[in-house]
Amino acid sequence: MRIMLKLVIDCDADAAWRALHSPRAVAELYGPLLRLEPLAPLPTSWSAGEDAAVALSLGGVVPLGSQLIDVSDFERVVGGQRVRILRDSGIPLSGPLAALDVWDHQMAVSPAPGRPGRTLWRDRLVIGGAAAPLLWPVLWATWQWRAARIRALAPSWAHDPEPAHA
């Protein structure tokens, strides 16, 4: 079963790509509805091949289990546009989502065609297993929340990184 988002956000593709690699920015996508707490220290920025476990809770109060986040990156060229894709191939470790057999989350960013300084954000979650039909409506609603949060937070991602000092 799939859940997909496709939206144009108010920041450039480089800023969106940096945000996708920021554990803090990713956690903000779910707040304040869901809270992600690291089970071990997280890097400032995820690199391909890194993984981390986080605890999930509803509003920081009701425990929902834990999730392994396992990051990989790849690129494609589609219609002459560079598309950068972050794939989280981790899996729910405990809680209701652990009843899923498949968890494949991919987020793609590219410059929005005809919209300078904006990003086309595509988000796809594939879930599977006997519990998928029961969990799909909850995850679909969560992804709608994510879309609203992505739109709201994207302008705050647009900044020029500080120059490296020699």
Side-chain angles (χ1 to χ4, degrees):
M1 303 185 83
R2 292 181 190 202
I3 300 166
M4 299 175 75
L5 297 175
K6 183 177 180 182
L7 46 135
V8 174
I9 58 174
D10 193 17
C11 69
D12 65 42
D14 289 334
W17 188 244
R18 283 191 305 270
L20 274 174
H21 287 81
S22 166
R24 182 176 172 186
V26 170
E28 288 177 346
L29 295 181
Y30 297 97
L33 179 65
L34 292 176
R35 189 168 185 173
L36 280 69
E37 292 289 332
L39 296 177
L42 295 176
T44 303
S45 179
W46 271 310
S47 298
E50 286 187 316
D51 62 18
V54 296
L56 305 169
S57 64
L58 188 59
V61 178
V62 179
L64 297 175
S66 60
Q67 174 99 13
L68 177 67
I69 298 170
D70 187 5
V71 174
S72 59
D73 296 333
F74 55 101
E75 287 188 24
R76 292 193 177 138
V77 176
V78 178
Q81 287 282 358
R82 177 183 183 204
V83 178
R84 291 177 277 184
I85 303 162
L86 182 141
R87 180 180 186 196
D88 171 14
S89 55
I91 192 82
L93 300 170
S94 65
L97 297 178
L100 296 169
D101 296 334
V102 175
W103 181 276
D104 184 14
H105 186 195
Q106 294 186 39
M107 294 149 283
V109 297
S110 60
R115 311 274 306 265
R118 300 204 179 208
T119 298
L120 176 59
W121 178 292
R122 287 164 284 196
D123 202 317
R124 183 185 79 187
L125 174 65
V126 177
I127 59 171
L134 296 173
L135 292 170
W136 185 90
V138 173
L139 289 167
W140 181 88
T142 302
W143 255 241
Q144 304 320 298
W145 176 265
R146 270 175 60 86
R149 294 290 292 167
I150 291 165
R151 284 186 178 109
L153 293 169
S156 71
W157 300 336
H159 71 281
D160 290 328
E162 294 295 320
H165 297 286

